[in-house]
Amino acid sequence: MQERRGVRGVKSASRTVALLELLAERGEQPSRLDQLAEDLGVPRSSMYQLLQTLVDSGWVRTDATGSLYGIGIRALLTGTGYLDGDRRIRLVRPYLDEASDALGETIHLARLDGRDVVYLATRESHEYLRTISRVGRRVPAHAGALGKALLAERSDDELPLDDGPLTGLTENTHTDRAALLADLARVRERGYSIDREETVPGIAGFGFALRYGTPAVDAISCSVPVARLTPEHETRIVSVMSDIRARIESRLPPASGVPDWR
């Protein structure tokens, strides 16, 4: 456990958070008691008691046999509360609708969280199937347009990246730090990021950091199948998304009396 501002972490709370995050990460793959105890380094008896407490409160669900565990509905309710309680997300949503209507493509809003970006809102195109962009999904920041737009807002020595090779999602993902840094330099010059099949094969993306905070933590993007990404369409995407970004930023100065969440 780590201390923060002189306050020692609470072991039971840390253990509960780790369990919920692990179950959420596994999604449709349920876990067994022994597996969870081993993965988290917790005694089996302690893990059983914790699971039963969370099942009773709705944070964890179990099957009819009581042997399989997954994330519960309370997690969804809490996540919805996060989205509904953030004034920036509420304000940006109509602009996502506008960009989607204007371009006919999928538009995203995401937030940087450590080394990842987390999708906060998505407006899907009707032209292709949803891929990785469901609200709440995490993607390594170095691997796509949204993350690269936000990483470029930071200096190279401030980037939240692991040491060594970076995780590759496709054969086009930057897994070499030097290649990523060169790309981020181009993003800073250009003012927006480009993802050419780095996150999902067949999909390109254009990311735009929202600079209503320093450094920016939120970004919007437009995703489009490479099969129909003509130079003319790319130019229009950049124009529309740049305009949308400017209008969002003009609407979101720091508000008096409203928490500036970190």
Side-chain angles (χ1 to χ4, degrees), residues 96-253:
L96 304 183
D97 294 332
E98 184 177 337
S100 180
D101 291 342
L103 296 170
E105 306 295 354
T106 298
I107 311 298
H108 308 294
L109 167 68
R111 181 163 292 167
L112 188 66
D113 181 38
R115 297 179 177 88
D116 301 330
V117 290
V118 179
Y119 287 91
L120 301 177
T122 293
R123 299 296 181 265
E124 293 286 348
S125 167
H126 298 298
E127 298 295 329
Y128 67 99
L129 296 176
R130 179 185 287 124
T131 51
I132 199 171
S133 57
R134 290 188 182 93
V135 171
R137 289 292 177 86
R138 306 175 71 90
V139 174
H142 68 274
L146 288 159
K148 291 194 299 180
L150 291 168
L151 293 180
E153 295 293 306
R154 291 150 175 78
S155 63
D156 289 351
D157 59 0
E158 295 175 326
L159 297 178
L161 301 174
D162 290 322
D163 296 330
L166 304 171
T167 301
L169 300 184
T170 75
E171 63 181 14
N172 295 323
T173 306
H174 292 305
T175 56
D176 176 73
R177 188 184 182 96
L180 175 64
L181 295 183
D183 192 356
L184 295 181
R186 292 190 291 271
V187 174
R188 296 182 187 111
E189 286 183 31
R190 194 191 300 121
Y192 61 91
S193 65
I194 301 177
D195 160 9
R196 300 195 187 277
E197 302 184 79
E198 296 170 35
T199 309
V200 179
I203 301 296
F206 301 85
F208 301 77
L210 299 176
R211 297 162 178 153
Y212 42 61
T214 304
V217 294
D218 293 347
I220 55 175
S221 73
C222 175
S223 296
V224 55
V226 295
R228 66 165 185 266
L229 183 60
T230 64
E232 294 77 17
H233 192 31
E234 181 170 332
T235 298
R236 175 158 172 73
I237 288 171
V238 172
S239 175
V240 169
M241 295 298 289
S242 296
D243 177 67
I244 291 290
R245 168 169 63 182
R247 291 162 57 201
I248 291 172
E249 291 174 344
S250 71
R251 290 286 309 280
L252 275 169

